[in-house]
Amino acid sequence: MNPDYISLHGKQFEPYLSAQELSASIQQVADRLNQEYAGKQPLLVAVLNGSFMFAADLMKALQIPCEITFIRVASYQGTSSTGTVQEVLGLTEELQGRHVIIVEDIVDTGHTMRMLLDTLGASQPASLEVATLFLKPECLQHELPIRYIGLSIPNDFIVGYGLDFDGLGRNYPDVYKAV
């Protein structure tokens, strides 16, 4: 399942990042987390739907005791952010006094991450950090303390490895960008 180009909803996408490149970036993030969270037991809060592949591969690369839970938020429609973040599925875990790492597939405008940092931070965790596979620095509209970044990328619309275009494209092991 590695075609040169893919078509989703009539839009063409070309190869951008291979599964091997993604794996190397994830391992670098995991190596930092293993070092910086040694002796701690962080709770990974994976943001659905997009981060499920990243969260699974990141967790497999962690050698520290850790837990994972999921939160679902929505802020995208088609290929652009709506600018409005709606929490769809909330956390049930107690965060107070815990080391919490938000695991996100991509941070672009930062609206979703700002809301999550504010919401989760109100629960008084011992620490609250962000691990994102992709960051689009030129799109950021908020100052965000993103400590763990797999790859900084330009403002291209990408799909694959959990990222979608109106529900399609998440299943590809590689990442493709819109042509």
Side-chain angles (χ1 to χ4, degrees):
M1 192 190 329
N2 190 8
D4 288 340
Y5 285 82
I6 60 172
S7 179
L8 304 171
H9 296 297
K11 190 168 188 63
Q12 293 294 113
F13 295 84
E14 65 185 0
Y16 182 55
L17 294 165
S18 70
Q20 293 77 16
E21 291 170 296
L22 297 172
S23 182
S25 294
I26 293 164
Q27 188 60 55
Q28 289 176 353
V29 171
D31 290 345
R32 283 191 60 203
L33 291 170
N34 283 326
Q35 181 181 11
E36 295 176 20
Y37 282 85
K40 299 175 182 169
Q41 186 175 314
L43 172 65
L44 306 182
V45 178
V47 182
L48 295 173
N49 287 339
S51 74
F52 75 99
M53 285 189 176
F54 173 47
D57 287 343
L58 179 64
M59 192 162 189
K60 287 187 279 186
L62 292 177
Q63 298 171 355
I64 52 174
C66 59
E67 297 174 56
I68 191 166
T69 191
F70 300 89
I71 188 168
R72 186 170 181 180
V73 296
S75 65
Y76 257 79
Q77 189 169 42
T79 60
S80 60
S81 176
T82 63
T84 303
V85 177
Q86 300 171 327
E87 183 174 349
V88 179
L89 175 66
L91 293 171
T92 56
E93 286 77 9
E94 176 63 46
L95 302 184
Q96 186 172 3
R98 299 195 68 184
H99 297 284
V100 176
I101 303 167
I102 301 170
V103 179
E104 180 65 292
D105 56 347
I106 190 165
V107 175
D108 44 31
T109 64
H111 296 316
T112 299
M113 193 52 59
R114 177 77 275 147
M115 182 275 296
L116 286 174
L117 286 166
D118 292 346
T119 301
L120 301 183
S123 298
Q124 301 177 333
S127 65
L128 180 59
E129 298 292 347
V130 176
T132 186
L133 181 55
F134 298 110
L135 175 68
K136 292 183 178 180
E138 64 193 65
C139 296
L140 278 177
Q141 297 178 19
H142 300 271
E143 288 285 327
L144 297 171
I146 302 176
R147 186 173 178 125
Y148 306 99
I149 300 167
L151 296 161
S152 288
I153 62 171
N155 188 22
D156 294 315
F157 186 73
I158 58 174
V159 298
Y161 195 73
L163 292 99
D164 74 305
F165 175 34
D166 283 344
L168 295 178
R170 292 188 197 278
N171 55 309
Y172 294 99
D174 302 317
V175 170
Y176 296 79
K177 69 178 180 176
V179 180

